[in-house]
Every structure is written in C-alpha cells, then in structure tokens.
Amino acid sequence: MPTAIIPVADFDMVVFGATGDLTLRKLLPALYHRFADRQFSTECRVIAAARSDLTDESYRKRAEGALREHVAAADLAEQILQTFLSLVVYARVDGSKEDGWEQLDGLFDGAGDRVRVFYLATSPDLYGAVCRNLQQQGLVTENSRVVLEKPIGHDLASARQIIEDVGRVFSENQTYRIDHFLGKETVQNLLALRFANVIFERLWNADVIDHVQITVGETVGVESRGDYYDHSGALRDMVQNHLLQLMCLLAMEPPISLAADALRDEKLKVLRALRPMALHEVGHLTVRGQYVAGAVGGKTVDGYLRDLGEGRSSETETFVALKAEVRTWRWANVPFYLRTGKRLPQKVSEVVIQFRDIPISVFPREAAEIQPNRLVIRLQPEEGMRLGMMTKDPGPGGLRLRPAELDISFEKAFSLRYPDAYERLLMDTVRGNATLFMRRDEVEAAWMWIEPILHAWRETAERPRPYAAGSWGPTASIALIERDGRTWHEELG
Ligand code: BG6
C-alpha cells in the first residue's frame, strides 16, 4: 500500500547558515524529497540566508550542485528539480549583526501570517543573537517557530544560557531542538516495536533482561569538521544527545499518548533516573579513545591528530564506551553499555537486548550449550530485527539443540526508500508537531549527567587511549564489559 502523504500548510522557511554543509548536504535534499512527494505546494518559499555575497541565481546554482550530489539520480526529476529551485530565494544577512537586514525584511512585506520556520543551521554561539535580531526586525509572528541544531551548548551552563536567550524571543512551544536520530525511521520504529506489540513489553524489564548494548559506529574520521569536533569530542557530539535519546526510547515507561509532552515526560524520567557517576568512578565506568593511523575498509587512513592538521595536539576523544545505570524498578541492576566512535570498522547503529539465562535446563548437557535469547535491533544500515532463540536440531538421534534466528529485514519487507531523518523533522516543524524534538528540561538533564564525566576527564592527567583506525576502539572498551562477564555483540567485534 502506498504511504499517504499529508500535505502541510504553506510556509516560509528561512535557513540561516545556508551555505554550510548541513544545509547543502541534508536540509535542501530533504526539502527536495518532500516537495517531489507533493507534501508542500509551490506557494512555499525556502529563504536561504547567509553572509556571502550571492544572488538568487548564484545560490540556486550551488543548491542545484548539492542536490545533484546528495539526491540519488533515480529520485531526481529534472522538471521537479527546477520548480523546487525556483522556490529558493537568497537573502544576504549576518544574523548576528543588528544591521543589514533590509533584504530579508523586504521578503516578508505583505507575507501575512502564514507559518514561518527559522532554521538556525549556524554555530550555537549565534542562536541568541539571531533570535534577538529576528525579534527586533519584527519578523517573529505568532505562527513562527525556531529550529535549533545540536549541540545546545558545550556544558550545562552554556546550554542554559542558549535556552534562556532563545526563550526570550520564542516560547517553548515555538522551539524545536533537533536530535536528528529521533527522525530516523528505525528509531521511531522502537516506539512501534515496544508499544504496538504485546509480546515484548511484558518482558521489557530486569526480570528477564540481563543488559542492553547500544553501539553507534562510524567509519568516517573528523573530515572537514575538525574545528568543531575538537572542541566537542564523542561524548558531547554523540552521547549527550543521540545515544541518550536512543536509551530513553528503550528504557522509558509507556507514554499515555504520542503527544509531544507525554512522550517527553517519559524520556525525561529516564534521564533523571540515570545514576550520576561519582568522580572516582568515571575512570572505571568510561573509556575514551582517540584514533591513530590504521585501515578502514581496506584503505589506509591517518590518525586524528594528522586529520586535524600538521603539528596539532589534542586530548579530544573520538571514541567513548561507558556503562550506565537507570535507577528505576524496571531497570534495577540492568546495565546499559553504550559505545560510539569515529573510524570504526563499520557504519552501524545497533541495539542489543540481551535476555537472561533460562532458570534451569531440562536438557542433557551434551544437547548443546543453551544460549540466552538476544534481540538485535539494527537501526542502520540493513535495518531489521533478529531474535536469537534455541530450537531443536532437526533429525533423528535424540533431542539436540541449536541456536536459530527469527529475522525480519525491514529493507526487504517494505522495499521503500527510507526517508532521511530531516525530511520528517522539517515537515514536523511546519506542522507544529514537537513529539520528536527535545524539550528544554531533557537537554538540561542530559548535560547534568554528562558533566561529571567531562569534569573527571579534565581532572585526570590521562590522555584518551589510542586505537587503530579500523578497530573497535581501545581494548579497555572490551575490558569494560568483560569485567562484568559479558561481551560486546560478537558480530560487531
Ligand atoms: C551528528 C554528529 O550529529 O551525527 C556527527 O555531529 C555524526 O559527528 C552524525 O557523524 C551521525 O549521523 P548519521 O545520521 O550519519 O548516523
């Protein structure tokens, strides 16, 4: 059955940072796809705002180049592409300065009160200033929303500052804080898995679950983002937001509905239930690493310091593994092991729910070693789910056992193009649906839990442990989980 596309109201979307990587690589392709699927009409406008001296024409050329590069040729229809580009206009403005707004202002003369989305694809340091200027220019209407990219700050204090500054202009209901992992189809599928099926939810607790693993591996290094990344590191860039959000969806109680606040209330409880790490525990419960030269996918690659630039030194981690604990009745004594890193052997996001051993075996020992059930949820690539079970080895000769898998490949089952996370999220901002965006208190609670780790790392003289590009991080990451008598999901190493 074809998916029903529900058109959204006409809108103007102003994207600050329009010449940046995020806009060209993600936002424009996402908007193109939604337009090609007729989710919005030719009455809509995408107003690309940046400091460069460009015209509508020269920006459209750049946008066209980006679309040809980042949209699959099979999805690029020439006429639709040209019509889409005709909806894109360029406004030269430095969002952080008080003057020079005439061009952008002019675009709104007589625009009425239709939906306005201000997308800040800029450095977070500018969020406050851009919002203040938008207000001073009288551009913020009742029907306006602001969209903020992560990272919201680099610690709790700076996050609060940004939240306050933006909050002076836009109410919480008008503020959409993006964590693009929440827009991924398979991440939303975690909600379907847990709350549209009866069989898992009854088992989703410490009675039968031994532990949970979340792995988000990337094969890329820091690429051209060294300046940003070196001030951030894997803990701030990935764990504070994406991995903790995944963990919230896995660990939360059933929400009373999918209304934005109902869902976010439940996620917030998980974040607040995370046991804070004491300073002296951080060395034991976390591992940080930094890649050195190695080989990924058969290609020799440089180490992190070289990627940053000749002669650079850095204490920034490109890998983190940690053990977290959610202190609720549901999850008492069920550790959550999280790991993420750059230059790992595979680009993969995966959740492993490891069930406990059966209480007693009635099978003779020689029948086979009984492996506890394991549910592996593949978020990307090769999206799907596998449930490991013990079965009877078919054939005569006694009751021997062997492991087998119930295997669903979403890719094969639904043979559709998986929309990019931004497609869903951008349309949600127009619709005014904040369910998949982070509320202020979630961002703060996540920082509160992360801060002691950052603090402890700063205090110690230890550098991040080196790991060869193409490996699964420092060996200490293996020790972190093996110390508890467990192992990382073996297919990933
Ligand atoms: C971003 C991080 O939020 O997520 C990047 O800043 C990372 O460092 C990216 O590469 C991963 O997202 P995806 O969608 O490619 O899994």
Side-chain angles (χ1 to χ4, degrees):
M1 210 167 59
T3 336
I5 305 276
I6 304 168
V8 296
D10 291 343
F11 62 84
D12 289 320
M13 185 173 293
V14 185
V15 182
F16 288 91
T19 51
D21 183 61
L22 178 71
T23 307
L24 296 169
R25 210 164 41 86
K26 289 286 185 185
L27 305 184
L28 288 174
L31 287 167
Y32 168 81
H33 276 297
R34 294 298 89 228
F35 178 68
D37 275 352
R38 297 171 189 244
Q39 196 158 13
F40 61 86
S41 81
T42 50
E43 294 301 309
C44 297
R45 287 188 300 178
V46 178
I47 302 174
R51 286 175 303 183
S52 312
D53 189 8
L54 296 171
T55 60
D56 287 350
E57 265 330 292
S58 53
Y59 185 79
R60 282 180 191 149
K61 276 227 161 60
R62 209 179 268 204
E64 182 174 346
L67 289 167
R68 291 198 190 280
E69 185 179 345
H70 300 295
V71 176
D75 295 326
L76 212 58
E78 212 46 48
Q79 199 178 343
I80 298 176
L81 172 65
Q82 295 312 326
T83 315
F84 173 72
L85 288 170
S86 72
L87 311 182
V88 179
V89 289
Y90 184 77
R92 183 180 182 192
V93 61
D94 180 342
S96 64
K97 299 232 165 80
E98 283 179 24
D99 45 13
W101 285 72
E102 303 74 22
Q103 201 188 351
L104 186 62
D105 287 350
L107 288 172
F108 285 103
D109 285 347
D113 192 23
R114 61 189 202 159
V115 172
R116 278 181 202 182
V117 179
F118 297 104
Y119 197 116
L120 310 195
T122 63
S123 153
D125 319 341
L126 304 181
Y127 292 169
V130 178
C131 290
R132 207 170 40 247
N133 289 327
L134 283 170
Q135 188 175 46
Q136 261 162 26
Q137 298 299 322
L139 290 174
V140 181
T141 57
E142 267 196 20
N143 236 343
S144 293
R145 312 109 169 58
V146 69
V147 187
L148 308 176
E149 263 300 326
K150 64 153 262 278
I152 311 284
H154 55 270
D155 56 13
L156 181 60
S158 55
R160 280 195 171 138
Q161 186 65 54
I162 292 174
I163 289 169
E164 297 288 322
D165 290 347
V166 173
R168 272 191 276 277
V169 179
F170 293 95
S171 67
E172 183 64 27
N173 286 342
Q174 293 176 300
T175 306
Y176 291 74
R177 300 182 192 86
I178 286 220
D179 182 311
H180 80 278
F181 264 50
L182 295 180
K184 288 181 192 268
E185 288 283 312
T186 41
V187 174
Q188 290 162 53
N189 201 26
L190 293 176
L191 294 174
L193 173 75
R194 288 194 58 198
F195 306 125
N197 296 290
V198 78
I199 53 172
F200 293 118
E201 197 47 29
R202 310 274 178 214
L203 302 177
W204 213 254
N205 58 55
D207 293 346
V208 277
I209 294 181
D210 176 74
H211 75 277
V212 177
Q213 299 180 15
I214 304 177
T215 295
V216 178
E218 297 188 272
T219 51
V220 290
V222 283
E223 321 271 84
S224 55
R225 299 166 71 226
D227 283 343
Y228 152 73
Y229 194 87
D230 202 46
H231 286 106
S232 168
L235 189 68
R236 290 185 172 99
D237 185 51
M238 297 294 288
V239 179
Q240 190 269 346
N241 33 78
H242 306 324
L243 276 84
L244 287 187
Q245 285 290 323
L246 282 179
M247 184 168 156
C248 285
L249 294 181
L250 290 166
M252 71 185 187
E253 295 302 314
I256 56 167
S257 76
L258 285 188
D261 280 336
L263 191 87
R264 301 191 292 185
D265 286 347
E266 296 308 332
K267 289 196 291 162
L268 180 65
K269 285 189 212 156
V270 175
L271 292 167
R272 291 199 171 148
L274 280 171
R275 190 174 77 79
M277 285 188 204
L279 221 59
H280 70 272
E281 290 174 316
V282 171
H284 189 64
L285 297 175
T286 71
V287 172
R288 58 183 172 142
Q290 190 183 80
Y291 64 84
V292 297
V296 181
K299 217 177 114 220
T300 313
V301 294
D302 286 332
Y304 177 67
L305 298 182
R306 207 57 190 286
D307 282 352
L308 284 183
E310 238 15 270
R312 293 277 292 269
S313 68
S314 169
E315 308 263 295
T316 301
E317 78 289 351
T318 60
F319 175 95
V320 191
L322 57 83
K323 176 178 170 186
E325 216 182 292
V326 182
R327 285 179 54 82
T328 60
W329 277 40
R330 187 190 279 265
W331 295 114
N333 300 319
V334 177
F336 284 71
Y337 298 96
L338 274 48
R339 64 177 170 165
T340 182
K342 302 270 184 207
R343 288 285 190 232
L344 300 187
Q346 261 175 283
K347 171 152 177 90
V348 64
S349 300
E350 191 172 274
V351 170
V352 174
I353 310 288
Q354 178 65 61
F355 291 92
R356 293 191 187 282
D357 285 322
I358 52 167
I360 287 172
S361 173
V362 296
F363 300 96
R365 200 171 292 229
E366 54 288 2
E369 195 183 317
I370 299 186
Q371 297 176 11
N373 301 117
R374 167 183 274 187
L375 177 66
V376 178
I377 309 168
R378 221 354 133 83
L379 304 173
Q380 65 184 23
E382 291 152 21
E383 296 79 1
M385 226 169 66
R386 298 195 325 264
L387 179 61
M389 325 190 37
M390 294 307 293
T391 55
K392 179 185 174 299
D393 197 2
L399 213 171
R400 285 186 312 273
L401 301 175
R402 75 168 182 201
E405 281 187 333
L406 275 177
D407 189 347
I408 311 179
S409 157
F410 301 140
E411 226 188 355
K412 287 189 198 128
F414 306 115
S415 65
L416 282 176
R417 177 186 75 86
Y418 265 74
D420 186 75
Y422 281 96
E423 295 181 40
R424 164 76 197 254
L425 296 176
L426 284 170
M427 293 300 99
D428 277 356
T429 64
V430 176
R431 271 197 210 102
N433 179 357
T435 300
L436 298 177
F437 297 80
M438 290 182 295
R439 205 168 54 190
R440 161 190 188 141
D441 43 13
E442 282 180 82
V443 175
E444 292 180 359
W447 276 122
M448 272 182 221
W449 187 72
I450 291 287
E451 268 204 339
I453 306 177
L454 289 168
H455 181 62
W457 285 355
R458 255 194 324 267
E459 295 290 290
T460 132
E462 253 178 60
R463 282 183 41 76
R465 295 163 197 266
Y467 64 95
S471 70
W472 279 103
T475 45
S477 149
I478 298 170
L480 173 88
I481 191 165
E482 291 197 344
R483 220 169 30 224
D484 296 342
R486 302 173 171 119
T487 49
W488 291 111
H489 182 206
E490 68 276 6
E491 279 166 41
L492 298 181

